[in-house]
Amino acid sequence: MSVHFIPENLPTHIQHFIGGQFVDSVNGETFDVLDPVSNQTYATAAAGQQADIARAVAAAKDAFTTGPWPKILPRARARVLHRIADAVEAQDARLAELETFDTGLPITQALGQAHRAAENFRFFADLIVAQADDTYKVPGRQINYVNRKPVGVAGLITPWNTPFMLESWKLAPALASGCTVVLKPAEFTPLSASLWAEIFRTAGVPDGVFNLVNGIGEQAGDALVKHPDVPLISFTGETTTGQTIYRNCAANLKGMSMELGGKSPAVVFADADLDAAIDSTLFGVFSLNGERCTASSRILVERSVYDDFCTRYAARAQSIVVGDPHEPATEVGALVHPEHYAKVMSYVEIGKTEGRLLAGGGRPAGLDDGNYVSPTVFADVAPTARIFQEEIFGPVVAITPFDSDEEALELANGVKYGLAAYIWTTNLERAHNFAQAVDAGMVWLNSHNVRDLRTPFGGVKASGLGHEGGYRSIDFYTDQQAVHITLAPVHTPRFGRS
């Protein structure tokens, strides 16, 4: 076993960033931040409370109402966003090692997430320059056009899995649209979020446009959601938390975009390319340590190829390299936090009573410390089982057989979630009909989760509310005001005329 890697110049205290300044909490409160390999405290972070959120929102509101950011031309904003992308790419190795240290994600996968973060800023920089709005003409009578305006202060609440990339997913379109922001990152993983402040300042983002408040969700997140001067909340995270945010947004009728949990099916028909399906479904549930909302954590396999699929899948799962996240050969690292590790392991024990254990089922040999879980595979899992129905968010997969297209669809749709689905078949008619019938916001045919930033990202049922990606993100962060201009005398009924 290798010696645990600790990045150089690691901060021992992480502060908020409000109005262009690094600051502690008003009341001085902090919380401990652990690294998931040793589970030792490596830093404290300022713990935001209502007063800190109030300061951040005030700074963001002032920057929106009196500052230049919402009013500058799209090309000027785009140049700033491209400089942000340049800065992210220039320090991708540093970002990756900090992200890996903080989250337990394998270093090669963390590096990929840094590159995706840069691409998010480039994409929205280009999009706002190309943005066109609608004009409608009634010949000789009227012209109506859409005036798009940034909404105001956007509250962004982000999760602890791939935190830097998912923060960029919200920050890029919010800033591109001319909004100012208050970001509340997940308390488990505040390290990489702290880098945004200097990246933005160097790129030319005015003070107050970007504000960061660390803290516990029930304190800092709750205060942000309830603040009357924050008209928008974008949240990515767990479904129960999303329901709480939904209720708390109601009082002020806030705009909401919520990408929540998933229990996504991968449906493998007998005519599929099994080699490709096995490659994809292994990657789909075990990459990012299984801590991904779109994980294909339920695999439904047609009966005639079921035994072969299970045998081959389990053999590959047993060969996955689990180890120190900073080792380039590592494919599954350490789960993010002891609390989450305990949750995942509790599901592993439940699974032993609900399915046939084919691989994993505990802690890997030789990794006695840290939040390590062996890639775990259960077969013969009934659709009523908890490991079939509930999101585990770890390296655990349930495999279930089916005998017909109708049964496969019933199984695929038989959970409360509806984020993603993966369909494996060479029958084109079946592929499209099944894809359109499945309850999922996103479907991939004969592929894994490959994103096109122009397309909508979001789920149905308990997996979310609204969509982000492409113009849908711009729509969320802007108001579309209709302006009507008359071109001829208006014949209005003359009320009150005798």
Side-chain angles (χ1 to χ4, degrees), residues 254-463:
K254 294 176 186 280
M256 286 180 291
S257 177
M258 295 199 291
E259 192 262 285
L260 306 176
K263 193 71 177 178
S264 300
V267 185
V268 182
F269 290 93
D271 65 348
D273 179 340
L274 284 189
D275 289 331
I278 288 170
D279 285 343
S280 180
T281 49
L282 280 161
F283 181 84
V285 76
F286 295 126
S287 61
L288 305 180
N289 298 346
E291 298 166 327
R292 57 186 308 160
C293 53
T294 54
S296 50
S297 53
R298 293 182 298 140
I299 305 177
L300 314 177
V301 184
E302 193 164 2
R303 182 85 59 181
S304 61
V305 294
Y306 180 75
D307 289 341
D308 183 35
F309 183 94
C310 288
T311 299
R312 294 167 61 186
Y313 191 93
R316 288 279 296 278
Q318 289 169 334
S319 299
I320 289 173
V321 178
V322 184
D324 191 304
H326 289 277
E327 293 291 337
T330 294
E331 295 169 317
V332 171
L335 301 189
V336 69
H337 192 274
E339 289 179 18
H340 186 59
Y341 171 82
K343 173 195 169 185
V344 172
M345 288 302 292
S346 73
Y347 274 108
V348 169
E349 293 307 309
I350 291 168
K352 291 175 182 178
T353 71
E354 294 183 329
R356 177 164 56 97
L357 180 65
L358 299 184
R363 178 182 287 276
L367 295 172
D368 299 328
D369 301 313
N371 308 318
Y372 292 104
V373 177
S374 294
T376 298
V377 180
F378 292 105
D380 308 342
V381 179
T384 54
R386 287 185 63 187
I387 63 169
F388 187 97
Q389 292 288 330
E390 299 174 19
E391 184 177 42
I392 300 172
F393 220 65
V396 182
V397 66
I399 309 179
T400 301
F402 66 86
D403 291 298
S404 67
D405 290 29
E406 293 75 19
E407 184 186 7
L409 183 63
E410 183 179 356
L411 289 169
N413 290 343
V415 299
K416 70 178 183 179
Y417 297 104
L419 188 57
Y422 307 86
I423 315 301
W424 288 88
T425 179
T426 54
N427 182 321
L428 190 62
E429 180 179 316
R430 168 197 279 154
H432 285 287
N433 285 327
F434 199 100
Q436 292 174 27
V438 74
D439 294 336
M442 300 165 288
V443 182
W444 281 269
L445 299 176
N446 298 322
S447 71
H448 63 269
N449 182 352
V450 179
R451 283 283 291 123
D452 182 332
L453 293 176
R454 297 169 296 182
T455 60
F457 189 101
V460 298
K461 300 196 298 191
S463 287

Side-chain angles (χ1 to χ4, degrees), residues 66-416:
T66 68
W69 188 252
K71 303 176 186 67
I72 65 175
L73 293 175
R75 175 67 72 184
R77 280 206 298 272
R79 289 193 182 103
V80 174
L81 297 182
H82 277 298
R83 288 197 292 269
I84 291 169
D86 291 340
V88 171
E89 289 176 344
Q91 54 184 300
D92 59 354
R94 173 67 172 172
L95 279 166
E97 72 175 15
L98 292 180
E99 191 90 314
T100 292
F101 179 79
D102 206 24
T103 66
L105 293 177
I107 186 70
T108 53
Q109 296 170 39
L111 186 62
Q113 298 302 316
H115 294 159
R116 287 184 64 188
E119 179 56 28
N120 285 334
F121 278 93
R122 295 208 189 282
F123 174 83
F124 284 104
D126 294 342
L127 192 65
I128 56 167
V129 173
Q131 173 77 44
D133 287 312
D134 295 324
T135 301
Y136 307 93
K137 183 170 70 171
V138 182
R141 295 186 183 180
Q142 193 176 46
I143 291 176
N144 312 309
Y145 70 88
V146 175
N147 175 40
R148 192 182 288 269
K149 304 192 295 184
V151 173
V153 179
L156 312 178
I157 303 176
T158 52
W160 45 256
N161 61 318
T162 64
F164 191 80
M165 191 281 291
L166 288 174
E167 288 152 10
S168 76
W169 208 334
K170 300 180 188 301
L171 288 166
L175 296 179
S177 300
C179 290
T180 59
V181 304
V182 177
L183 170 66
K184 206 299 282 186
E187 56 264 32
F188 285 175
T189 55
L191 182 58
S192 61
S194 66
L195 300 178
W196 286 118
E198 196 58 43
I199 289 172
F200 288 160
R201 185 155 54 190
T202 303
V205 176
D207 289 349
V209 171
F210 167 75
N211 303 275
L212 166 69
V213 178
N214 294 295
I216 309 304
E218 292 82 357
Q219 298 168 1
D222 184 69
L224 182 60
V225 167
K226 291 177 178 175
H227 198 293
D229 290 334
V230 180
L232 291 177
I233 295 292
S234 178
F235 169 73
T236 299
E238 190 265 336
T239 296
T240 303
T241 305
Q243 291 171 323
T244 301
I245 290 173
Y246 197 129
R247 286 190 292 268
N248 289 336
C249 282
N252 291 297
L253 298 175
K254 294 176 186 280
M256 286 180 291
S257 177
M258 295 199 291
E259 192 262 285
L260 306 176
K263 193 71 177 178
S264 300
V267 185
V268 182
F269 290 93
D271 65 348
D273 179 340
L274 284 189
D275 289 331
I278 288 170
D279 285 343
S280 180
T281 49
L282 280 161
F283 181 84
V285 76
F286 295 126
S287 61
L288 305 180
N289 298 346
E291 298 166 327
R292 57 186 308 160
C293 53
T294 54
S296 50
S297 53
R298 293 182 298 140
I299 305 177
L300 314 177
V301 184
E302 193 164 2
R303 182 85 59 181
S304 61
V305 294
Y306 180 75
D307 289 341
D308 183 35
F309 183 94
C310 288
T311 299
R312 294 167 61 186
Y313 191 93
R316 288 279 296 278
Q318 289 169 334
S319 299
I320 289 173
V321 178
V322 184
D324 191 304
H326 289 277
E327 293 291 337
T330 294
E331 295 169 317
V332 171
L335 301 189
V336 69
H337 192 274
E339 289 179 18
H340 186 59
Y341 171 82
K343 173 195 169 185
V344 172
M345 288 302 292
S346 73
Y347 274 108
V348 169
E349 293 307 309
I350 291 168
K352 291 175 182 178
T353 71
E354 294 183 329
R356 177 164 56 97
L357 180 65
L358 299 184
R363 178 182 287 276
L367 295 172
D368 299 328
D369 301 313
N371 308 318
Y372 292 104
V373 177
S374 294
T376 298
V377 180
F378 292 105
D380 308 342
V381 179
T384 54
R386 287 185 63 187
I387 63 169
F388 187 97
Q389 292 288 330
E390 299 174 19
E391 184 177 42
I392 300 172
F393 220 65
V396 182
V397 66
I399 309 179
T400 301
F402 66 86
D403 291 298
S404 67
D405 290 29
E406 293 75 19
E407 184 186 7
L409 183 63
E410 183 179 356
L411 289 169
N413 290 343
V415 299
K416 70 178 183 179

